Amino acid sequence: MENYGALCLHACGGLCFEKRKTKVQGSLLLQSWPERKGVGVAPSRDLLLKTAACKSKAASPIKCFCSYKDPAVPCELKAKNFRSPDDEALILKDKAQEVIPYLNGNCIFLVGMMGSGKTTVGKILSEALGYYFFDSDKLVEEAVGGVSVAQIFKEYSEQFFRENETKVLKDLSTMHRLVVATGGGAVIRPINWKYMKRGVTVWLDVPLEALARRIAAVGTHSRPLLHHEPGDAYTKAFLRLSALSEERADAYANSDATVSLEDIAYKLGLEDVSALTPTTIAIEALVKINEFLSWKGGNGHVF
């Protein structure tokens, strides 16, 4: 992720925290990060919303000058015909333009297991929609002084991390035009859903075998919930992921939209979800978001 201070200056102020012995306190502040050395009084919610509105105007959505239409078959179903990156990019822009009016500036919160691609897909979505991107784990790390999530778990506790993760989600939920990649365990706290449901929640549902392969390939040292499991990297990742998936399945299913990589692979005639490109997954995410928002609007519901 880009430098947090620069992002905060560009998007919505700094997320400044004061490190203490037992807890981290903070909120979205409007002072610039380099000038902020202590923690002051948080601005009013009205001021936050005005700032969000100003930033929303600054982040103009990407305009699409091309289209990829087939009157007989929806473009998202003609995936075999857009294997080139250029074609995928055109379809991504088309789908973004379709969903922008329904989103009305509301945030998108991506949820899913560790290694599910929330950060990669989130950045693609933010660019296509003209939104800003944030990774909630990175924000917590920055808030605690650049300490990694694994170190936070070790030096403080998982509870300490979860409490500050909730503070970050609360602050982000007051803003607009954000795509937020959440931590894998963010769904386990009901209070987090209160904040994430202010926007649209999207679950990236990836088969456990694929997740275990991804994590094993890069190592488990940065995954605090996997690091101490016995066995080789793949086995320990798969076993722990299976347990976590069972614990969190109902919570993930609470999302407004579900992007199943198995379903996408089936539509494309692929045997392995690892063959899917992040852009293809982002396109499916936009399709599912559009379906949810169209249904919500059609039933008289508004944000």
PDB file of all heavy atoms in Angstrom, residues 226-248:
ATOM      1  N   LEU A 226      -1.613 -18.235  11.710  1.00  0.00           N
ATOM      2  CA  LEU A 226      -1.092 -19.450  11.076  1.00  0.00           C
ATOM      3  C   LEU A 226       0.333 -19.776  11.519  1.00  0.00           C
ATOM      4  O   LEU A 226       0.777 -20.906  11.413  1.00  0.00           O
ATOM      5  CB  LEU A 226      -1.094 -19.298   9.545  1.00  0.00           C
ATOM      6  CG  LEU A 226      -2.415 -19.023   8.843  1.00  0.00           C
ATOM      7  CD1 LEU A 226      -2.185 -18.923   7.344  1.00  0.00           C
ATOM      8  CD2 LEU A 226      -3.427 -20.121   9.138  1.00  0.00           C
ATOM      9  N   HIS A 227       1.025 -18.767  12.008  1.00  0.00           N
ATOM     10  CA  HIS A 227       2.470 -18.868  12.181  1.00  0.00           C
ATOM     11  C   HIS A 227       2.901 -20.008  13.097  1.00  0.00           C
ATOM     12  O   HIS A 227       3.976 -20.593  12.910  1.00  0.00           O
ATOM     13  CB  HIS A 227       3.015 -17.543  12.714  1.00  0.00           C
ATOM     14  CG  HIS A 227       4.508 -17.449  12.696  1.00  0.00           C
ATOM     15  ND1 HIS A 227       5.268 -17.824  11.607  1.00  0.00           N
ATOM     16  CD2 HIS A 227       5.382 -17.037  13.644  1.00  0.00           C
ATOM     17  CE1 HIS A 227       6.552 -17.642  11.879  1.00  0.00           C
ATOM     18  NE2 HIS A 227       6.644 -17.160  13.107  1.00  0.00           N
ATOM     19  N   HIS A 228       2.105 -20.345  14.077  1.00  0.00           N
ATOM     20  CA  HIS A 228       2.537 -21.335  15.060  1.00  0.00           C
ATOM     21  C   HIS A 228       1.964 -22.733  14.808  1.00  0.00           C
ATOM     22  O   HIS A 228       2.140 -23.628  15.633  1.00  0.00           O
ATOM     23  CB  HIS A 228       2.166 -20.869  16.469  1.00  0.00           C
ATOM     24  CG  HIS A 228       2.805 -19.557  16.845  1.00  0.00           C
ATOM     25  ND1 HIS A 228       4.161 -19.412  17.014  1.00  0.00           N
ATOM     26  CD2 HIS A 228       2.264 -18.335  17.045  1.00  0.00           C
ATOM     27  CE1 HIS A 228       4.439 -18.162  17.329  1.00  0.00           C
ATOM     28  NE2 HIS A 228       3.308 -17.480  17.344  1.00  0.00           N
ATOM     29  N   GLU A 229       1.297 -22.918  13.694  1.00  0.00           N
ATOM     30  CA  GLU A 229       0.773 -24.239  13.374  1.00  0.00           C
ATOM     31  C   GLU A 229       1.901 -25.169  12.934  1.00  0.00           C
ATOM     32  O   GLU A 229       2.853 -24.730  12.280  1.00  0.00           O
ATOM     33  CB  GLU A 229      -0.270 -24.130  12.252  1.00  0.00           C
ATOM     34  CG  GLU A 229      -1.527 -23.370  12.639  1.00  0.00           C
ATOM     35  CD  GLU A 229      -2.343 -24.081  13.686  1.00  0.00           C
ATOM     36  OE1 GLU A 229      -2.513 -25.302  13.574  1.00  0.00           O
ATOM     37  OE2 GLU A 229      -2.800 -23.420  14.623  1.00  0.00           O
ATOM     38  N   PRO A 230       1.820 -26.462  13.276  1.00  0.00           N
ATOM     39  CA  PRO A 230       2.866 -27.410  12.874  1.00  0.00           C
ATOM     40  C   PRO A 230       2.713 -27.851  11.426  1.00  0.00           C
ATOM     41  O   PRO A 230       1.656 -27.685  10.821  1.00  0.00           O
ATOM     42  CB  PRO A 230       2.628 -28.588  13.837  1.00  0.00           C
ATOM     43  CG  PRO A 230       1.151 -28.557  14.087  1.00  0.00           C
ATOM     44  CD  PRO A 230       0.776 -27.094  14.114  1.00  0.00           C
ATOM     45  N   GLY A 231       3.783 -28.432  10.875  1.00  0.00           N
ATOM     46  CA  GLY A 231       3.727 -29.004   9.538  1.00  0.00           C
ATOM     47  C   GLY A 231       4.287 -28.093   8.473  1.00  0.00           C
ATOM     48  O   GLY A 231       4.754 -26.990   8.751  1.00  0.00           O
ATOM     49  N   ASP A 232       4.243 -28.575   7.222  1.00  0.00           N
ATOM     50  CA  ASP A 232       4.734 -27.771   6.109  1.00  0.00           C
ATOM     51  C   ASP A 232       3.775 -26.616   5.863  1.00  0.00           C
ATOM     52  O   ASP A 232       2.649 -26.588   6.377  1.00  0.00           O
ATOM     53  CB  ASP A 232       4.855 -28.633   4.853  1.00  0.00           C
ATOM     54  CG  ASP A 232       3.508 -29.182   4.394  1.00  0.00           C
ATOM     55  OD1 ASP A 232       3.109 -30.259   4.890  1.00  0.00           O
ATOM     56  OD2 ASP A 232       2.856 -28.515   3.566  1.00  0.00           O
ATOM     57  N   ALA A 233       4.235 -25.655   5.089  1.00  0.00           N
ATOM     58  CA  ALA A 233       3.488 -24.413   4.905  1.00  0.00           C
ATOM     59  C   ALA A 233       2.074 -24.652   4.368  1.00  0.00           C
ATOM     60  O   ALA A 233       1.103 -24.077   4.873  1.00  0.00           O
ATOM     61  CB  ALA A 233       4.248 -23.480   3.970  1.00  0.00           C
ATOM     62  N   TYR A 234       1.946 -25.513   3.343  1.00  0.00           N
ATOM     63  CA  TYR A 234       0.627 -25.748   2.767  1.00  0.00           C
ATOM     64  C   TYR A 234      -0.298 -26.431   3.765  1.00  0.00           C
ATOM     65  O   TYR A 234      -1.461 -26.018   3.943  1.00  0.00           O
ATOM     66  CB  TYR A 234       0.713 -26.592   1.498  1.00  0.00           C
ATOM     67  CG  TYR A 234      -0.644 -26.964   0.949  1.00  0.00           C
ATOM     68  CD1 TYR A 234      -1.353 -26.074   0.151  1.00  0.00           C
ATOM     69  CD2 TYR A 234      -1.246 -28.180   1.281  1.00  0.00           C
ATOM     70  CE1 TYR A 234      -2.622 -26.390  -0.322  1.00  0.00           C
ATOM     71  CE2 TYR A 234      -2.508 -28.506   0.808  1.00  0.00           C
ATOM     72  CZ  TYR A 234      -3.192 -27.617   0.008  1.00  0.00           C
ATOM     73  OH  TYR A 234      -4.455 -27.927  -0.452  1.00  0.00           O
ATOM     74  N   THR A 235       0.196 -27.480   4.420  1.00  0.00           N
ATOM     75  CA  THR A 235      -0.646 -28.242   5.345  1.00  0.00           C
ATOM     76  C   THR A 235      -1.114 -27.384   6.505  1.00  0.00           C
ATOM     77  O   THR A 235      -2.284 -27.377   6.875  1.00  0.00           O
ATOM     78  CB  THR A 235       0.119 -29.458   5.898  1.00  0.00           C
ATOM     79  OG1 THR A 235       0.495 -30.305   4.820  1.00  0.00           O
ATOM     80  CG2 THR A 235      -0.750 -30.244   6.872  1.00  0.00           C
ATOM     81  N   LYS A 236      -0.196 -26.623   7.078  1.00  0.00           N
ATOM     82  CA  LYS A 236      -0.569 -25.799   8.220  1.00  0.00           C
ATOM     83  C   LYS A 236      -1.537 -24.697   7.801  1.00  0.00           C
ATOM     84  O   LYS A 236      -2.461 -24.366   8.535  1.00  0.00           O
ATOM     85  CB  LYS A 236       0.686 -25.280   8.906  1.00  0.00           C
ATOM     86  CG  LYS A 236       1.138 -23.924   8.631  1.00  0.00           C
ATOM     87  CD  LYS A 236       2.206 -23.528   9.654  1.00  0.00           C
ATOM     88  CE  LYS A 236       3.523 -23.236   8.986  1.00  0.00           C
ATOM     89  NZ  LYS A 236       4.548 -22.766   9.924  1.00  0.00           N
ATOM     90  N   ALA A 237      -1.330 -24.158   6.604  1.00  0.00           N
ATOM     91  CA  ALA A 237      -2.237 -23.127   6.121  1.00  0.00           C
ATOM     92  C   ALA A 237      -3.627 -23.704   5.867  1.00  0.00           C
ATOM     93  O   ALA A 237      -4.635 -23.120   6.274  1.00  0.00           O
ATOM     94  CB  ALA A 237      -1.684 -22.498   4.842  1.00  0.00           C
ATOM     95  N   PHE A 238      -3.684 -24.861   5.221  1.00  0.00           N
ATOM     96  CA  PHE A 238      -4.978 -25.460   4.890  1.00  0.00           C
ATOM     97  C   PHE A 238      -5.759 -25.845   6.143  1.00  0.00           C
ATOM     98  O   PHE A 238      -6.967 -25.574   6.239  1.00  0.00           O
ATOM     99  CB  PHE A 238      -4.795 -26.696   4.006  1.00  0.00           C
ATOM    100  CG  PHE A 238      -6.092 -27.338   3.600  1.00  0.00           C
ATOM    101  CD1 PHE A 238      -6.858 -26.790   2.584  1.00  0.00           C
ATOM    102  CD2 PHE A 238      -6.565 -28.466   4.258  1.00  0.00           C
ATOM    103  CE1 PHE A 238      -8.069 -27.363   2.220  1.00  0.00           C
ATOM    104  CE2 PHE A 238      -7.770 -29.044   3.893  1.00  0.00           C
ATOM    105  CZ  PHE A 238      -8.526 -28.486   2.873  1.00  0.00           C
ATOM    106  N   LEU A 239      -5.091 -26.468   7.111  1.00  0.00           N
ATOM    107  CA  LEU A 239      -5.782 -26.903   8.320  1.00  0.00           C
ATOM    108  C   LEU A 239      -6.323 -25.713   9.109  1.00  0.00           C
ATOM    109  O   LEU A 239      -7.461 -25.719   9.580  1.00  0.00           O
ATOM    110  CB  LEU A 239      -4.847 -27.730   9.197  1.00  0.00           C
ATOM    111  CG  LEU A 239      -4.444 -29.096   8.638  1.00  0.00           C
ATOM    112  CD1 LEU A 239      -3.444 -29.783   9.565  1.00  0.00           C
ATOM    113  CD2 LEU A 239      -5.681 -29.986   8.447  1.00  0.00           C
ATOM    114  N   ARG A 240      -5.518 -24.691   9.260  1.00  0.00           N
ATOM    115  CA  ARG A 240      -5.952 -23.528  10.027  1.00  0.00           C
ATOM    116  C   ARG A 240      -7.029 -22.754   9.284  1.00  0.00           C
ATOM    117  O   ARG A 240      -8.006 -22.283   9.877  1.00  0.00           O
ATOM    118  CB  ARG A 240      -4.757 -22.614  10.327  1.00  0.00           C
ATOM    119  CG  ARG A 240      -5.089 -21.431  11.211  1.00  0.00           C
ATOM    120  CD  ARG A 240      -5.661 -21.877  12.532  1.00  0.00           C
ATOM    121  NE  ARG A 240      -5.877 -20.759  13.442  1.00  0.00           N
ATOM    122  CZ  ARG A 240      -6.858 -20.687  14.304  1.00  0.00           C
ATOM    123  NH1 ARG A 240      -7.746 -21.669  14.393  1.00  0.00           N
ATOM    124  NH2 ARG A 240      -6.967 -19.651  15.116  1.00  0.00           N
ATOM    125  N   LEU A 241      -6.882 -22.634   7.973  1.00  0.00           N
ATOM    126  CA  LEU A 241      -7.896 -21.957   7.180  1.00  0.00           C
ATOM    127  C   LEU A 241      -9.234 -22.682   7.248  1.00  0.00           C
ATOM    128  O   LEU A 241     -10.291 -22.044   7.282  1.00  0.00           O
ATOM    129  CB  LEU A 241      -7.440 -21.836   5.722  1.00  0.00           C
ATOM    130  CG  LEU A 241      -6.332 -20.823   5.432  1.00  0.00           C
ATOM    131  CD1 LEU A 241      -5.810 -21.006   4.010  1.00  0.00           C
ATOM    132  CD2 LEU A 241      -6.833 -19.397   5.634  1.00  0.00           C
ATOM    133  N   SER A 242      -9.176 -23.990   7.271  1.00  0.00           N
ATOM    134  CA  SER A 242     -10.413 -24.785   7.364  1.00  0.00           C
ATOM    135  C   SER A 242     -11.142 -24.481   8.665  1.00  0.00           C
ATOM    136  O   SER A 242     -12.371 -24.311   8.686  1.00  0.00           O
ATOM    137  CB  SER A 242     -10.091 -26.282   7.273  1.00  0.00           C
ATOM    138  OG  SER A 242      -9.519 -26.601   6.022  1.00  0.00           O
ATOM    139  N   ALA A 243     -10.372 -24.411   9.756  1.00  0.00           N
ATOM    140  CA  ALA A 243     -10.977 -24.118  11.055  1.00  0.00           C
ATOM    141  C   ALA A 243     -11.548 -22.700  11.085  1.00  0.00           C
ATOM    142  O   ALA A 243     -12.667 -22.468  11.567  1.00  0.00           O
ATOM    143  CB  ALA A 243      -9.946 -24.295  12.164  1.00  0.00           C
ATOM    144  N   LEU A 244     -10.782 -21.750  10.562  1.00  0.00           N
ATOM    145  CA  LEU A 244     -11.255 -20.372  10.543  1.00  0.00           C
ATOM    146  C   LEU A 244     -12.487 -20.211   9.656  1.00  0.00           C
ATOM    147  O   LEU A 244     -13.416 -19.470   9.993  1.00  0.00           O
ATOM    148  CB  LEU A 244     -10.143 -19.448  10.031  1.00  0.00           C
ATOM    149  CG  LEU A 244      -8.946 -19.238  10.957  1.00  0.00           C
ATOM    150  CD1 LEU A 244      -7.859 -18.442  10.240  1.00  0.00           C
ATOM    151  CD2 LEU A 244      -9.363 -18.526  12.234  1.00  0.00           C
ATOM    152  N   SER A 245     -12.484 -20.906   8.527  1.00  0.00           N
ATOM    153  CA  SER A 245     -13.613 -20.837   7.609  1.00  0.00           C
ATOM    154  C   SER A 245     -14.887 -21.345   8.268  1.00  0.00           C
ATOM    155  O   SER A 245     -15.965 -20.758   8.101  1.00  0.00           O
ATOM    156  CB  SER A 245     -13.319 -21.643   6.345  1.00  0.00           C
ATOM    157  OG  SER A 245     -14.421 -21.621   5.474  1.00  0.00           O
ATOM    158  N   GLU A 246     -14.759 -22.402   9.027  1.00  0.00           N
ATOM    159  CA  GLU A 246     -15.921 -22.952   9.715  1.00  0.00           C
ATOM    160  C   GLU A 246     -16.455 -21.961  10.750  1.00  0.00           C
ATOM    161  O   GLU A 246     -17.668 -21.806  10.907  1.00  0.00           O
ATOM    162  CB  GLU A 246     -15.550 -24.273  10.397  1.00  0.00           C
ATOM    163  CG  GLU A 246     -16.733 -24.984  11.029  1.00  0.00           C
ATOM    164  CD  GLU A 246     -16.374 -26.365  11.545  1.00  0.00           C
ATOM    165  OE1 GLU A 246     -15.285 -26.866  11.210  1.00  0.00           O
ATOM    166  OE2 GLU A 246     -17.192 -26.935  12.300  1.00  0.00           O
ATOM    167  N   GLU A 247     -15.537 -21.276  11.431  1.00  0.00           N
ATOM    168  CA  GLU A 247     -15.939 -20.315  12.453  1.00  0.00           C
ATOM    169  C   GLU A 247     -16.598 -19.074  11.836  1.00  0.00           C
ATOM    170  O   GLU A 247     -17.504 -18.486  12.438  1.00  0.00           O
ATOM    171  CB  GLU A 247     -14.712 -19.864  13.262  1.00  0.00           C
ATOM    172  CG  GLU A 247     -14.073 -20.953  14.100  1.00  0.00           C
ATOM    173  CD  GLU A 247     -12.756 -20.481  14.708  1.00  0.00           C
ATOM    174  OE1 GLU A 247     -12.429 -19.272  14.580  1.00  0.00           O
ATOM    175  OE2 GLU A 247     -12.058 -21.312  15.324  1.00  0.00           O
ATOM    176  N   ARG A 248     -16.140 -18.688  10.657  1.00  0.00           N
ATOM    177  CA  ARG A 248     -16.556 -17.408  10.081  1.00  0.00           C
ATOM    178  C   ARG A 248     -17.557 -17.519   8.936  1.00  0.00           C
ATOM    179  O   ARG A 248     -18.006 -16.497   8.413  1.00  0.00           O
ATOM    180  CB  ARG A 248     -15.324 -16.657   9.569  1.00  0.00           C
ATOM    181  CG  ARG A 248     -14.288 -16.374  10.633  1.00  0.00           C
ATOM    182  CD  ARG A 248     -13.015 -15.822  10.005  1.00  0.00           C
ATOM    183  NE  ARG A 248     -11.970 -15.545  10.982  1.00  0.00           N
ATOM    184  CZ  ARG A 248     -10.737 -15.152  10.669  1.00  0.00           C
ATOM    185  NH1 ARG A 248     -10.399 -14.996   9.384  1.00  0.00           N
ATOM    186  NH2 ARG A 248      -9.851 -14.926  11.616  1.00  0.00           N
TER     187      ARG A 248
END
